[in-house]
Amino acid sequence: MLTHAELKQRALSNPKVKENYDALAEEYALAYELLHAREQAGLTQAEVAEKMHTKAPAIARLEAGGKHSPSLSTLRKYAAAVGCELEIRLIPK
């Protein structure tokens, strides 16, 4: 049986898979940042949802990444709910 790392390495050796994987990197980086900020704040998804005046499934979708891009307004509300400020930067290549 393959480990997760071995399976990932095998899958990413396929150029098409690698291309699709790389295309999602930014979305998953955002999802990681959201999840990490919530965990650092010691809050559950339900608690963040309450602070944002929404439902927990909406927070779960936001933290899952991939399917949709949240608006700046949503990101600001999330940041405030977890005690953070939103910072957006463009990094030169």
Side-chain angles (χ1 to χ4, degrees):
M1 178 174 245
L2 295 174
T3 66
H4 178 264
E6 292 167 335
L7 181 60
K8 181 179 173 182
Q9 182 180 5
R10 181 184 284 180
L12 293 177
S13 68
N14 178 322
K16 279 287 210 193
V17 172
K18 174 107 171 77
E19 181 182 336
N20 288 322
Y21 180 85
D22 290 344
L24 293 172
E26 291 171 338
E27 282 139 33
Y28 285 109
L30 173 59
Y32 171 81
E33 287 294 324
L34 296 173
L35 182 59
H36 182 71
R38 179 174 60 77
E39 288 174 345
Q40 290 294 110
L43 298 171
T44 65
Q45 288 180 340
E47 291 167 329
V48 172
E50 185 177 326
K51 289 175 178 260
M52 291 178 64
H53 306 289
T54 189
K55 306 261 189 234
I59 302 306
R61 284 190 302 274
L62 185 62
E63 291 179 354
K67 281 198 171 188
H68 71 280
S69 297
S71 68
L72 286 175
S73 174
T74 297
L75 291 174
R76 283 187 195 107
K77 289 177 186 176
Y78 188 98
V82 297
C84 292
E85 291 183 15
L86 178 63
E87 178 180 292
I88 299 172
R89 298 180 297 143
L90 296 176
I91 311 288
K93 290 183 178 184

